[in-house]
Structure formats: structure tokens, C-alpha cells
Amino acid sequence: MTEGAALRVFVEIPQGSRNKYEFDEEVGVFRLNRVLSSAVFYNFDYGFIEGTRADDGDHTDALLVIDEPTFTGCHVWARPVGGLEMRDEMGFDFKVLCVAIGDPNQAHIDRLDQMRPHRLLEIEHFFDTYKLLENKATEVVGWRERDPALDVLRTDRESWLRERATRTTPAGPTRAAAAGAAHRPTGH
């Protein structure tokens, strides 16, 4: 991952939803994992970055800032601007903060310090509270700048490539990532 590189976010949960959808890679479908027990909703589109594998065995999580919600299964070209470091029941949990390239209201944002500060607080608050009524602990460690987020993406991309090298048939979005890895958006 290089600075300024576009990446493809695969949206699982649109902004405004309380439903926690997850992509089942083995069969290529979305499944409802649960409805959030707390009285909160996703205040951003949530998904993952194709062609990555995080330490928890899933693709790298992505928080997508876009003015209008997309939909489950939507692929969005995005620019990473930072990341949110957390800990949960599985341990280290990093979420890459991205802005949608196709949203002119996000066109000026290249770095974390260009985000509205209150927007970042809202996102932190969501992750502080969304599992409270499920008796699951989460700890928001803090925001990280773009370079540490790119380091996480590079590491997770290398893990995915190692995994792919041991497979004979890719499944789910990894096939799309392999086919479209060289394709980049051509304009606004």
C-alpha cells in the first residue's frame, strides 16, 4: 500500500443500520450476525478491504466516511486517511478509516487531521458502547495517522497473499480482488 493509493472497500453494513451483517467467504453470501443490542447505529458505512487478512482471520476492517449510505455488497473506491486501534474479546483490532473517492464532500480529506473532530468522537463513542448490552468489552485505544494504517494494510496484504499461495481456489471477494487488483478508478 502506498500513500494516495485507492483501495476497494466491500461494504457489509450501511450507515444508519443496527444490523450487523458479515460476509461468509466460503459460500459468498451475506449473513445477519446479530442486531445490535445497544440503542446505537452504525454512523458510517462498515466493511472490509479486499485482498487483506487481519490477525483475527477476517479481512481488514474498514470504516467508510461517505455522506449518503451505500448498501450491503457495494464496492467503493476509497482513500485511507488513518485508523482506529481497538481491543476486543479477540485482542488487537484495527479499523482503517477511509473516505469515499466518489463523494465530493470528502475530496479534500487526505489525512486524519482533516476529518471533522466531532465525527471522530462519534465513531469512538459508537465503538465504546455498541457491545455494552452484550456484556462484551471493547477498548478504544485511539486514532492512528495514515502511515500506521498503511503499515497495517501492508502486513495484512502480505498475510492474504501467503494464504492465497497455499489455496488452489479462491473464494468470495478474494476472487474479485485478484481480478481487479490492478484496476484503479479513472476519475471523479
Short mmCIF file of all heavy atoms in Angstrom, two decimals, residues 98-155:
data_model
loop_
_atom_site.label_atom_id
_atom_site.label_comp_id
_atom_site.label_asym_id
_atom_site.label_seq_id
_atom_site.Cartn_x
_atom_site.Cartn_y
_atom_site.Cartn_z
N CYS A 98 -11.43 5.31 6.07
CA CYS A 98 -11.33 5.68 4.66
C CYS A 98 -12.38 6.71 4.31
O CYS A 98 -13.43 6.80 4.97
CB CYS A 98 -11.58 4.46 3.78
SG CYS A 98 -10.44 3.10 4.04
N VAL A 99 -12.12 7.48 3.27
CA VAL A 99 -13.12 8.38 2.71
C VAL A 99 -13.43 7.90 1.29
O VAL A 99 -12.54 7.41 0.58
CB VAL A 99 -12.67 9.85 2.71
CG1 VAL A 99 -12.52 10.36 4.14
CG2 VAL A 99 -11.38 10.06 1.93
N ALA A 100 -14.70 8.02 0.91
CA ALA A 100 -15.13 7.59 -0.42
C ALA A 100 -14.60 8.55 -1.48
O ALA A 100 -14.81 9.76 -1.39
CB ALA A 100 -16.64 7.52 -0.48
N ILE A 101 -13.91 8.01 -2.47
CA ILE A 101 -13.36 8.85 -3.54
C ILE A 101 -14.48 9.49 -4.35
O ILE A 101 -14.37 10.63 -4.80
CB ILE A 101 -12.41 8.01 -4.43
CG1 ILE A 101 -11.14 7.69 -3.63
CG2 ILE A 101 -12.08 8.73 -5.73
CD1 ILE A 101 -10.18 6.76 -4.31
N GLY A 102 -15.61 8.79 -4.52
CA GLY A 102 -16.71 9.31 -5.32
C GLY A 102 -17.59 10.33 -4.61
O GLY A 102 -18.56 10.81 -5.19
N ASP A 103 -17.26 10.68 -3.37
CA ASP A 103 -18.06 11.66 -2.61
C ASP A 103 -17.32 12.99 -2.62
O ASP A 103 -16.28 13.14 -1.97
CB ASP A 103 -18.26 11.17 -1.17
CG ASP A 103 -19.14 12.08 -0.34
OD1 ASP A 103 -19.41 13.23 -0.76
OD2 ASP A 103 -19.55 11.65 0.76
N PRO A 104 -17.84 14.00 -3.34
CA PRO A 104 -17.13 15.28 -3.42
C PRO A 104 -16.98 15.96 -2.06
O PRO A 104 -16.08 16.79 -1.90
CB PRO A 104 -17.98 16.12 -4.38
CG PRO A 104 -19.33 15.47 -4.38
CD PRO A 104 -19.10 14.02 -4.08
N ASN A 105 -17.82 15.62 -1.10
CA ASN A 105 -17.71 16.22 0.23
C ASN A 105 -16.52 15.67 1.02
O ASN A 105 -16.18 16.21 2.07
CB ASN A 105 -19.00 16.02 1.01
CG ASN A 105 -20.14 16.78 0.39
OD1 ASN A 105 -20.02 17.97 0.12
ND2 ASN A 105 -21.24 16.09 0.13
N GLN A 106 -15.91 14.61 0.53
CA GLN A 106 -14.74 14.03 1.18
C GLN A 106 -13.46 14.27 0.36
O GLN A 106 -12.38 13.83 0.75
CB GLN A 106 -14.91 12.52 1.39
CG GLN A 106 -16.23 12.08 1.97
CD GLN A 106 -16.67 12.81 3.22
OE1 GLN A 106 -15.86 13.13 4.08
NE2 GLN A 106 -17.95 13.08 3.32
N ALA A 107 -13.58 14.94 -0.78
CA ALA A 107 -12.45 15.10 -1.72
C ALA A 107 -11.24 15.79 -1.10
O ALA A 107 -10.11 15.53 -1.50
CB ALA A 107 -12.91 15.85 -2.97
N HIS A 108 -11.46 16.66 -0.14
CA HIS A 108 -10.36 17.43 0.46
C HIS A 108 -9.64 16.65 1.56
O HIS A 108 -8.60 17.10 2.05
CB HIS A 108 -10.90 18.73 1.05
CG HIS A 108 -11.79 18.52 2.24
ND1 HIS A 108 -13.08 18.05 2.13
CD2 HIS A 108 -11.54 18.68 3.57
CE1 HIS A 108 -13.60 17.95 3.34
NE2 HIS A 108 -12.70 18.33 4.23
N ILE A 109 -10.13 15.49 1.94
CA ILE A 109 -9.57 14.76 3.08
C ILE A 109 -8.54 13.74 2.62
O ILE A 109 -8.86 12.80 1.90
CB ILE A 109 -10.69 14.07 3.90
CG1 ILE A 109 -11.68 15.11 4.40
CG2 ILE A 109 -10.09 13.27 5.05
CD1 ILE A 109 -12.91 14.53 5.07
N ASP A 110 -7.31 13.96 3.04
CA ASP A 110 -6.21 13.04 2.78
C ASP A 110 -5.59 12.51 4.06
O ASP A 110 -4.87 11.50 4.02
CB ASP A 110 -5.10 13.73 1.97
CG ASP A 110 -5.51 14.01 0.55
OD1 ASP A 110 -6.00 13.09 -0.12
OD2 ASP A 110 -5.33 15.17 0.10
N ARG A 111 -5.82 13.22 5.16
CA ARG A 111 -5.18 12.87 6.44
C ARG A 111 -6.22 12.92 7.56
O ARG A 111 -7.24 13.61 7.46
CB ARG A 111 -4.06 13.86 6.76
CG ARG A 111 -2.93 13.89 5.77
CD ARG A 111 -1.84 14.88 6.19
NE ARG A 111 -2.34 16.13 6.75
CZ ARG A 111 -2.67 17.20 6.04
NH1 ARG A 111 -2.56 17.19 4.73
NH2 ARG A 111 -3.10 18.30 6.65
N LEU A 112 -5.91 12.24 8.63
CA LEU A 112 -6.79 12.18 9.79
C LEU A 112 -7.10 13.57 10.34
O LEU A 112 -8.24 13.86 10.71
CB LEU A 112 -6.14 11.31 10.86
CG LEU A 112 -6.98 10.96 12.07
CD1 LEU A 112 -8.21 10.15 11.67
CD2 LEU A 112 -6.14 10.18 13.07
N ASP A 113 -6.11 14.46 10.37
CA ASP A 113 -6.34 15.79 10.95
C ASP A 113 -7.25 16.67 10.10
O ASP A 113 -7.64 17.76 10.52
CB ASP A 113 -5.02 16.51 11.26
CG ASP A 113 -4.19 16.82 10.02
OD1 ASP A 113 -4.60 16.49 8.89
OD2 ASP A 113 -3.10 17.38 10.19
N GLN A 114 -7.64 16.20 8.92
CA GLN A 114 -8.57 16.94 8.08
C GLN A 114 -10.03 16.49 8.30
O GLN A 114 -10.94 17.10 7.76
CB GLN A 114 -8.20 16.77 6.61
CG GLN A 114 -6.86 17.42 6.28
CD GLN A 114 -6.37 17.08 4.89
OE1 GLN A 114 -6.51 15.95 4.43
NE2 GLN A 114 -5.80 18.06 4.23
N MET A 115 -10.20 15.45 9.10
CA MET A 115 -11.55 14.99 9.44
C MET A 115 -12.16 15.94 10.46
O MET A 115 -11.44 16.51 11.28
CB MET A 115 -11.50 13.59 10.06
CG MET A 115 -11.08 12.48 9.11
SD MET A 115 -12.33 12.07 7.89
CE MET A 115 -13.70 11.58 8.92
N ARG A 116 -13.48 16.08 10.44
CA ARG A 116 -14.14 16.86 11.48
C ARG A 116 -13.90 16.18 12.82
O ARG A 116 -14.19 14.99 12.98
CB ARG A 116 -15.64 16.94 11.22
CG ARG A 116 -16.02 17.80 10.05
CD ARG A 116 -17.53 18.04 9.94
NE ARG A 116 -18.39 17.07 10.58
CZ ARG A 116 -19.09 16.13 9.94
NH1 ARG A 116 -19.04 16.03 8.63
NH2 ARG A 116 -19.86 15.30 10.61
N PRO A 117 -13.36 16.90 13.81
CA PRO A 117 -13.07 16.28 15.10
C PRO A 117 -14.28 15.62 15.75
O PRO A 117 -14.17 14.53 16.33
CB PRO A 117 -12.54 17.44 15.96
CG PRO A 117 -12.01 18.41 14.97
CD PRO A 117 -12.91 18.30 13.76
N HIS A 118 -15.45 16.24 15.63
CA HIS A 118 -16.63 15.65 16.25
C HIS A 118 -17.02 14.34 15.57
O HIS A 118 -17.53 13.42 16.23
CB HIS A 118 -17.81 16.63 16.24
CG HIS A 118 -18.94 16.18 17.09
ND1 HIS A 118 -18.91 16.23 18.47
CD2 HIS A 118 -20.13 15.61 16.76
CE1 HIS A 118 -20.03 15.72 18.96
NE2 HIS A 118 -20.78 15.34 17.94
N ARG A 119 -16.78 14.23 14.28
CA ARG A 119 -17.07 12.97 13.56
C ARG A 119 -16.24 11.83 14.15
O ARG A 119 -16.73 10.73 14.36
CB ARG A 119 -16.79 13.16 12.07
CG ARG A 119 -17.12 11.96 11.20
CD ARG A 119 -18.62 11.78 11.12
NE ARG A 119 -19.04 10.66 10.33
CZ ARG A 119 -19.44 10.74 9.06
NH1 ARG A 119 -19.42 11.87 8.42
NH2 ARG A 119 -19.85 9.67 8.43
N LEU A 120 -14.98 12.12 14.43
CA LEU A 120 -14.11 11.10 15.03
C LEU A 120 -14.61 10.71 16.42
O LEU A 120 -14.59 9.52 16.78
CB LEU A 120 -12.66 11.59 15.09
CG LEU A 120 -12.01 11.89 13.73
CD1 LEU A 120 -10.61 12.44 13.93
CD2 LEU A 120 -11.99 10.65 12.84
N LEU A 121 -15.08 11.69 17.20
CA LEU A 121 -15.63 11.39 18.53
C LEU A 121 -16.88 10.52 18.43
O LEU A 121 -17.09 9.61 19.24
CB LEU A 121 -15.95 12.68 19.28
CG LEU A 121 -14.77 13.49 19.77
CD1 LEU A 121 -15.24 14.84 20.33
CD2 LEU A 121 -13.99 12.72 20.82
N GLU A 122 -17.73 10.80 17.45
CA GLU A 122 -18.94 9.98 17.26
C GLU A 122 -18.58 8.53 16.95
O GLU A 122 -19.20 7.60 17.48
CB GLU A 122 -19.79 10.54 16.12
CG GLU A 122 -20.47 11.85 16.42
CD GLU A 122 -21.18 12.42 15.21
OE1 GLU A 122 -20.86 12.05 14.06
OE2 GLU A 122 -22.08 13.25 15.42
N ILE A 123 -17.58 8.34 16.12
CA ILE A 123 -17.15 6.98 15.78
C ILE A 123 -16.59 6.27 17.00
O ILE A 123 -16.92 5.11 17.28
CB ILE A 123 -16.14 7.00 14.61
CG1 ILE A 123 -16.81 7.50 13.33
CG2 ILE A 123 -15.51 5.63 14.40
CD1 ILE A 123 -15.86 7.80 12.18
N GLU A 124 -15.75 6.97 17.76
CA GLU A 124 -15.22 6.39 19.00
C GLU A 124 -16.34 6.01 19.95
O GLU A 124 -16.33 4.92 20.54
CB GLU A 124 -14.31 7.41 19.72
CG GLU A 124 -12.95 7.56 19.15
CD GLU A 124 -12.13 8.55 19.97
OE1 GLU A 124 -12.05 8.36 21.20
OE2 GLU A 124 -11.60 9.50 19.38
N HIS A 125 -17.30 6.91 20.11
CA HIS A 125 -18.43 6.64 21.02
C HIS A 125 -19.20 5.40 20.59
O HIS A 125 -19.59 4.59 21.43
CB HIS A 125 -19.35 7.85 21.08
CG HIS A 125 -20.53 7.66 21.98
ND1 HIS A 125 -20.41 7.62 23.36
CD2 HIS A 125 -21.83 7.45 21.70
CE1 HIS A 125 -21.60 7.40 23.89
NE2 HIS A 125 -22.48 7.30 22.90
N PHE A 126 -19.40 5.25 19.30
CA PHE A 126 -20.09 4.05 18.79
C PHE A 126 -19.36 2.80 19.26
O PHE A 126 -19.97 1.88 19.82
CB PHE A 126 -20.18 4.09 17.26
CG PHE A 126 -20.67 2.79 16.69
CD1 PHE A 126 -22.04 2.52 16.66
CD2 PHE A 126 -19.79 1.84 16.20
CE1 PHE A 126 -22.50 1.31 16.15
CE2 PHE A 126 -20.25 0.63 15.69
CZ PHE A 126 -21.60 0.36 15.67
N PHE A 127 -18.05 2.75 19.05
CA PHE A 127 -17.30 1.54 19.41
C PHE A 127 -17.15 1.37 20.93
O PHE A 127 -16.98 0.25 21.41
CB PHE A 127 -15.94 1.52 18.71
CG PHE A 127 -16.07 1.16 17.26
CD1 PHE A 127 -15.83 2.09 16.28
CD2 PHE A 127 -16.47 -0.12 16.88
CE1 PHE A 127 -15.97 1.76 14.94
CE2 PHE A 127 -16.62 -0.46 15.54
CZ PHE A 127 -16.37 0.49 14.57
N ASP A 128 -17.23 2.45 21.67
CA ASP A 128 -17.22 2.35 23.14
C ASP A 128 -18.50 1.71 23.67
O ASP A 128 -18.49 1.09 24.73
CB ASP A 128 -17.09 3.74 23.78
CG ASP A 128 -15.65 4.18 23.95
OD1 ASP A 128 -14.76 3.32 24.04
OD2 ASP A 128 -15.43 5.41 24.00
N THR A 129 -19.61 1.87 22.95
CA THR A 129 -20.91 1.49 23.50
C THR A 129 -21.64 0.36 22.77
O THR A 129 -22.56 -0.22 23.34
CB THR A 129 -21.85 2.71 23.53
OG1 THR A 129 -22.03 3.20 22.19
CG2 THR A 129 -21.30 3.81 24.41
N TYR A 130 -21.26 0.02 21.55
CA TYR A 130 -22.11 -0.86 20.75
C TYR A 130 -22.22 -2.29 21.28
O TYR A 130 -23.18 -3.00 20.93
CB TYR A 130 -21.69 -0.83 19.27
CG TYR A 130 -20.52 -1.70 18.86
CD1 TYR A 130 -20.67 -2.64 17.85
CD2 TYR A 130 -19.27 -1.56 19.44
CE1 TYR A 130 -19.60 -3.42 17.43
CE2 TYR A 130 -18.21 -2.33 19.03
CZ TYR A 130 -18.38 -3.26 18.03
OH TYR A 130 -17.33 -4.03 17.62
N LYS A 131 -21.33 -2.73 22.14
CA LYS A 131 -21.41 -4.08 22.70
C LYS A 131 -21.74 -4.10 24.20
O LYS A 131 -21.73 -5.16 24.81
CB LYS A 131 -20.10 -4.84 22.47
CG LYS A 131 -19.83 -5.19 21.02
CD LYS A 131 -18.57 -6.04 20.90
CE LYS A 131 -18.28 -6.42 19.48
NZ LYS A 131 -17.04 -7.23 19.37
N LEU A 132 -22.02 -2.94 24.78
CA LEU A 132 -22.25 -2.86 26.23
C LEU A 132 -23.34 -3.81 26.71
O LEU A 132 -23.16 -4.50 27.72
CB LEU A 132 -22.62 -1.44 26.64
CG LEU A 132 -21.46 -0.46 26.79
CD1 LEU A 132 -21.98 0.93 27.14
CD2 LEU A 132 -20.47 -0.94 27.83
N LEU A 133 -24.47 -3.86 26.05
CA LEU A 133 -25.58 -4.69 26.50
C LEU A 133 -25.40 -6.17 26.14
O LEU A 133 -26.22 -7.00 26.51
CB LEU A 133 -26.91 -4.17 25.95
CG LEU A 133 -27.29 -2.76 26.43
CD1 LEU A 133 -28.61 -2.32 25.82
CD2 LEU A 133 -27.34 -2.71 27.95
N GLU A 134 -24.32 -6.49 25.45
CA GLU A 134 -23.99 -7.89 25.15
C GLU A 134 -22.96 -8.42 26.14
O GLU A 134 -22.48 -9.54 25.99
CB GLU A 134 -23.44 -7.99 23.72
CG GLU A 134 -24.42 -7.55 22.66
CD GLU A 134 -23.78 -7.47 21.28
OE1 GLU A 134 -22.92 -8.33 20.96
OE2 GLU A 134 -24.13 -6.56 20.53
N ASN A 135 -22.60 -7.58 27.13
CA ASN A 135 -21.58 -7.95 28.12
C ASN A 135 -20.26 -8.34 27.47
O ASN A 135 -19.57 -9.25 27.93
CB ASN A 135 -22.08 -9.07 29.04
CG ASN A 135 -23.20 -8.59 29.92
OD1 ASN A 135 -23.18 -7.46 30.41
ND2 ASN A 135 -24.19 -9.44 30.11
N LYS A 136 -19.90 -7.63 26.40
CA LYS A 136 -18.62 -7.81 25.74
C LYS A 136 -17.84 -6.52 25.89
O LYS A 136 -18.37 -5.44 25.65
CB LYS A 136 -18.80 -8.14 24.26
CG LYS A 136 -19.46 -9.48 24.01
CD LYS A 136 -19.59 -9.73 22.53
CE LYS A 136 -20.26 -11.05 22.25
NZ LYS A 136 -20.48 -11.25 20.82
N ALA A 137 -16.60 -6.64 26.27
CA ALA A 137 -15.77 -5.46 26.48
C ALA A 137 -15.06 -5.04 25.20
O ALA A 137 -14.57 -5.89 24.45
CB ALA A 137 -14.74 -5.73 27.57
N THR A 138 -15.05 -3.75 24.95
CA THR A 138 -14.22 -3.19 23.89
C THR A 138 -13.44 -2.03 24.49
O THR A 138 -13.90 -1.37 25.42
CB THR A 138 -15.06 -2.65 22.71
OG1 THR A 138 -15.93 -1.64 23.18
CG2 THR A 138 -15.84 -3.75 22.03
N GLU A 139 -12.25 -1.84 23.98
CA GLU A 139 -11.42 -0.72 24.42
C GLU A 139 -10.96 0.04 23.19
O GLU A 139 -10.32 -0.52 22.30
CB GLU A 139 -10.20 -1.24 25.19
CG GLU A 139 -9.24 -0.14 25.58
CD GLU A 139 -7.91 -0.66 26.12
OE1 GLU A 139 -7.73 -1.89 26.21
OE2 GLU A 139 -7.05 0.18 26.41
N VAL A 140 -11.33 1.31 23.12
CA VAL A 140 -10.84 2.17 22.06
C VAL A 140 -9.50 2.72 22.52
O VAL A 140 -9.43 3.48 23.48
CB VAL A 140 -11.84 3.31 21.76
CG1 VAL A 140 -11.25 4.28 20.74
CG2 VAL A 140 -13.16 2.73 21.26
N VAL A 141 -8.44 2.30 21.84
CA VAL A 141 -7.09 2.73 22.21
C VAL A 141 -6.83 4.13 21.67
O VAL A 141 -6.28 4.97 22.37
CB VAL A 141 -6.04 1.72 21.70
CG1 VAL A 141 -4.63 2.19 22.02
CG2 VAL A 141 -6.30 0.34 22.29
N GLY A 142 -7.23 4.38 20.43
CA GLY A 142 -7.07 5.72 19.88
C GLY A 142 -6.88 5.73 18.38
O GLY A 142 -6.72 4.68 17.74
N TRP A 143 -6.92 6.93 17.83
CA TRP A 143 -6.75 7.13 16.40
C TRP A 143 -5.28 7.07 16.03
O TRP A 143 -4.43 7.51 16.78
CB TRP A 143 -7.35 8.48 15.98
CG TRP A 143 -8.84 8.47 16.06
CD1 TRP A 143 -9.60 9.03 17.04
CD2 TRP A 143 -9.73 7.86 15.14
NE1 TRP A 143 -10.93 8.79 16.78
CE2 TRP A 143 -11.05 8.08 15.62
CE3 TRP A 143 -9.57 7.14 13.97
CZ2 TRP A 143 -12.17 7.60 14.96
CZ3 TRP A 143 -10.69 6.67 13.31
CH2 TRP A 143 -11.98 6.90 13.80
N ARG A 144 -5.02 6.54 14.85
CA ARG A 144 -3.67 6.47 14.30
C ARG A 144 -3.67 7.18 12.95
O ARG A 144 -4.65 7.16 12.22
CB ARG A 144 -3.21 5.01 14.12
CG ARG A 144 -3.22 4.20 15.41
CD ARG A 144 -2.22 4.76 16.42
NE ARG A 144 -2.26 4.05 17.69
CZ ARG A 144 -2.72 4.55 18.83
NH1 ARG A 144 -3.20 5.77 18.88
NH2 ARG A 144 -2.70 3.84 19.93
N GLU A 145 -2.56 7.81 12.65
CA GLU A 145 -2.41 8.54 11.39
C GLU A 145 -2.38 7.57 10.20
O GLU A 145 -2.38 6.36 10.37
CB GLU A 145 -1.12 9.37 11.42
CG GLU A 145 -1.11 10.44 12.51
CD GLU A 145 -2.16 11.51 12.33
OE1 GLU A 145 -2.53 11.82 11.17
OE2 GLU A 145 -2.63 12.05 13.35
N ARG A 146 -2.32 8.13 9.01
CA ARG A 146 -2.36 7.34 7.77
C ARG A 146 -1.19 6.35 7.66
O ARG A 146 -1.39 5.20 7.27
CB ARG A 146 -2.37 8.27 6.56
CG ARG A 146 -2.41 7.52 5.24
CD ARG A 146 -2.46 8.43 4.05
NE ARG A 146 -1.41 9.43 4.15
CZ ARG A 146 -1.47 10.62 3.60
NH1 ARG A 146 -2.53 10.99 2.93
NH2 ARG A 146 -0.48 11.48 3.72
N ASP A 147 0.04 6.77 8.00
CA ASP A 147 1.19 5.87 7.81
C ASP A 147 1.07 4.58 8.63
O ASP A 147 1.30 3.50 8.08
CB ASP A 147 2.50 6.60 8.10
CG ASP A 147 2.85 7.59 6.99
OD1 ASP A 147 2.30 7.48 5.87
OD2 ASP A 147 3.69 8.48 7.25
N PRO A 148 0.71 4.64 9.92
CA PRO A 148 0.50 3.38 10.64
C PRO A 148 -0.64 2.54 10.05
O PRO A 148 -0.57 1.31 10.03
CB PRO A 148 0.18 3.82 12.06
CG PRO A 148 0.80 5.17 12.20
CD PRO A 148 0.69 5.79 10.83
N ALA A 149 -1.68 3.20 9.53
CA ALA A 149 -2.77 2.46 8.88
C ALA A 149 -2.26 1.76 7.62
O ALA A 149 -2.61 0.60 7.36
CB ALA A 149 -3.92 3.40 8.55
N LEU A 150 -1.42 2.44 6.86
CA LEU A 150 -0.85 1.82 5.66
C LEU A 150 0.05 0.65 6.04
O LEU A 150 0.09 -0.36 5.33
CB LEU A 150 -0.08 2.86 4.84
CG LEU A 150 -0.93 3.96 4.19
CD1 LEU A 150 -0.04 4.99 3.51
CD2 LEU A 150 -1.93 3.37 3.21
N ASP A 151 0.78 0.76 7.16
CA ASP A 151 1.60 -0.36 7.64
C ASP A 151 0.73 -1.57 7.95
O ASP A 151 1.08 -2.71 7.59
CB ASP A 151 2.40 0.04 8.87
CG ASP A 151 3.52 1.03 8.58
OD1 ASP A 151 3.92 1.16 7.40
OD2 ASP A 151 3.99 1.69 9.53
N VAL A 152 -0.39 -1.36 8.62
CA VAL A 152 -1.32 -2.46 8.92
C VAL A 152 -1.82 -3.08 7.61
O VAL A 152 -1.85 -4.31 7.46
CB VAL A 152 -2.50 -1.98 9.79
CG1 VAL A 152 -3.61 -3.03 9.85
CG2 VAL A 152 -2.02 -1.64 11.20
N LEU A 153 -2.18 -2.24 6.65
CA LEU A 153 -2.67 -2.75 5.37
C LEU A 153 -1.60 -3.56 4.64
O LEU A 153 -1.90 -4.61 4.06
CB LEU A 153 -3.15 -1.60 4.48
CG LEU A 153 -4.49 -1.00 4.86
CD1 LEU A 153 -4.75 0.29 4.09
CD2 LEU A 153 -5.61 -2.00 4.62
N ARG A 154 -0.36 -3.10 4.67
CA ARG A 154 0.73 -3.86 4.01
C ARG A 154 0.90 -5.23 4.66
O ARG A 154 1.02 -6.24 3.98
CB ARG A 154 2.03 -3.06 4.08
CG ARG A 154 2.20 -2.05 2.97
CD ARG A 154 3.61 -1.46 2.96
NE ARG A 154 3.79 -0.45 3.99
CZ ARG A 154 3.45 0.83 3.85
NH1 ARG A 154 2.90 1.25 2.74
NH2 ARG A 154 3.67 1.69 4.82
N THR A 155 0.92 -5.25 5.99
CA THR A 155 1.07 -6.52 6.73
C THR A 155 -0.09 -7.46 6.42
O THR A 155 0.12 -8.65 6.16
CB THR A 155 1.16 -6.24 8.25
OG1 THR A 155 2.31 -5.43 8.49
CG2 THR A 155 1.26 -7.52 9.04
#
